[in-house]
Amino acid sequence: VGIGLLVLQQLSGTNGVLFYSSTIFGNAGISSSNAATVGLGAIQVIATGITTWLVDKSGRRLLLIISSSVMTVSLLLVSIAFYLEGVTSEDSPLHSILSILSVVGLVTMVIGYSLGLGPIPWLIMSEILPVNIKGLAGSIATLTNWLTSWMITMTANLLLTWSSGGTFTIYTVVAAFTVAFAAIWVPETKGRALEEIQFSFR
């Protein structure tokens, strides 16, 4: 479960979006793409700060489901906006509206990620692993996470060159699967002993 969450965290494409956000904003028709990228980073910091307060109030599993659901809807919005931008004239008023929608979708996706899928998999992994395997399992999970991150970072620009709409459609499918994964397989760990958490896997 821990490794699965850390892999899905990266496969949702957030690192690719953040690393190539200037390119994405440029593709969306935003003239000041660098300024928009700085703003996106600032929003992520604020949202992550809020999560540190929320995570013990609402529980890990619920936040994870909400976070993944928000990401799914926002990524779907971005993919639709990019598909429609490709078939509308740049002089059309609709094109400007679609550019705004894609930016709103990206900002919402980053907020959703920061509220759950970003920090919580690391927290859950530390809470569900028995002490005797925590070191080894934690190392394997971290290695898997960073290898997946490397893969996403290396392929994001290629995918965006291929199709911005197609890229975000792929990320939407992963985010939707993460909702199901969290709802079906991830136990709530807030305020529970390790024995209780392990019993819930049976």
Side-chain angles (χ1 to χ4, degrees), residues 3-202:
I3 292 174
L5 282 176
L6 288 172
V7 168
L8 289 169
Q9 177 197 67
Q10 296 299 336
L11 288 179
S12 66
T14 305
N15 274 345
V17 169
L18 291 172
F19 291 156
Y20 296 104
S21 53
S22 292
T23 303
I24 294 166
F25 284 132
N27 290 348
I30 305 300
S31 54
S32 53
S33 57
N34 287 336
T37 301
V38 172
L40 196 65
I43 289 167
Q44 184 180 19
V45 171
I46 294 166
T48 304
I50 293 169
T51 304
T52 58
W53 173 76
L54 271 178
V55 73
D56 281 325
K57 299 280 184 186
S58 59
R60 288 83 158 121
R61 184 170 174 271
L62 177 62
L63 261 186
L64 204 54
I65 292 170
I66 292 171
S67 164
S68 305
S69 300
V70 169
M71 288 181 68
T72 302
V73 173
S74 56
L75 285 165
L76 181 62
L77 176 67
V78 174
S79 61
I80 291 170
F82 273 120
Y83 278 128
L84 292 176
E85 273 187 63
V87 295
T88 56
S89 167
E90 289 189 15
D91 301 325
S92 166
L94 180 60
H95 194 273
S96 300
I97 294 169
L98 291 171
S99 296
I100 293 168
L101 277 178
S102 59
V103 171
V104 169
L106 282 175
V107 170
T108 307
M109 185 212 74
V110 168
I111 291 171
Y113 176 83
S114 302
L115 286 177
L117 194 57
I120 289 177
W122 296 103
L123 180 60
I124 287 179
M125 188 186 69
S126 70
E127 292 176 332
I128 65 174
L129 293 175
V131 176
N132 61 324
I133 64 163
K134 188 169 282 191
L136 177 61
S139 299
I140 292 170
T142 303
L143 176 64
T144 306
N145 177 268
W146 282 108
L147 283 174
T148 312
S149 175
W150 174 81
M151 183 188 73
I152 290 297
T153 306
M154 295 302 290
T155 58
N157 203 32
L158 294 172
L159 286 170
L160 288 167
T161 304
W162 160 66
S163 168
S164 295
T167 302
F168 283 98
T169 300
I170 293 168
Y171 295 157
T172 301
V173 172
V174 174
F177 177 75
T178 307
V179 176
F181 185 88
I184 297 169
W185 288 297
V186 176
E188 179 55 71
T189 59
K190 175 193 167 189
R192 299 175 75 191
L194 179 61
E195 292 76 16
E196 293 177 89
I197 295 168
Q198 288 180 326
F199 184 77
S200 65
F201 285 116
R202 293 175 186 171

